[in-house]
Amino acid sequence: MEWYTFGQMLMAIRIGQKAVTPDGRTLRRSSAGLFWKGGRQDGKIVEIRDYLFTDLWRIEEDEESGEEAGKREAVERKEREMLENQYEELRWEYLIERRGGADNTGRGGEHG
């Protein structure tokens, strides 16, 4: 059985899975976000609060999320594409800025 800190759990949990603390608090990841499962917070979106950072979490498949798990690959592919697009955009901006900086120092571009 593998245990995660809150930050590690956020990086590892996939759509259609749930994370459980040793005392039984449970949250579920869906394509719409992270929601509490069971208890008085059932169905409410998880608010990241300081106490969550001191918990250990175990990740497991959520049998009740069968339909969500079926969407997992498509949603994760879309997430990857969005991240790749953001990376490429920032990389392009960095390269343009870098070239502009070289021109301003007189080390590149036109000589005058």
Side-chain angles (χ1 to χ4, degrees):
M1 188 176 313
E2 199 165 343
W3 293 93
Y4 300 89
T5 64
F6 184 71
Q8 292 169 329
M9 180 272 295
L10 288 177
M11 295 296 295
I13 193 167
R14 299 175 72 195
I15 293 171
Q17 292 183 324
K18 63 184 176 182
V20 183
T21 62
D23 65 0
R25 284 176 291 135
T26 305
L27 53 83
R28 176 181 59 86
R29 178 160 183 220
S30 74
S31 57
L34 216 53
F35 296 89
W36 288 108
K37 183 175 179 178
R40 64 178 201 259
Q41 296 287 328
D42 188 43
K44 292 186 179 177
I45 196 158
V46 174
E47 293 181 27
I48 299 175
R49 306 261 178 146
D50 58 348
Y51 63 87
L52 293 175
F53 292 97
T54 60
D55 289 327
L56 292 176
W57 300 84
R58 184 182 73 246
I59 296 175
E60 52 194 55
E61 292 298 323
D62 184 18
E63 298 79 26
E64 297 173 19
S65 297
E67 185 178 321
E68 284 288 323
K71 298 178 188 176
R72 181 184 293 166
E73 295 301 321
V75 172
E76 288 177 354
R77 184 174 41 255
K78 184 177 178 182
E79 288 173 353
R80 270 191 308 278
E81 288 172 7
M82 292 170 70
L83 289 169
E84 288 169 1
N85 289 339
Q86 288 180 56
Y87 170 78
E88 289 299 326
E89 188 174 314
L90 289 170
R91 182 175 172 271
W92 182 249
E93 288 174 9
Y94 169 77
L95 291 173
I96 290 172
E97 188 177 298
R98 187 170 163 197
R99 286 184 191 134
D103 290 343
N104 292 337
T105 62
R107 286 188 246 147
E110 298 178 13
H111 297 286

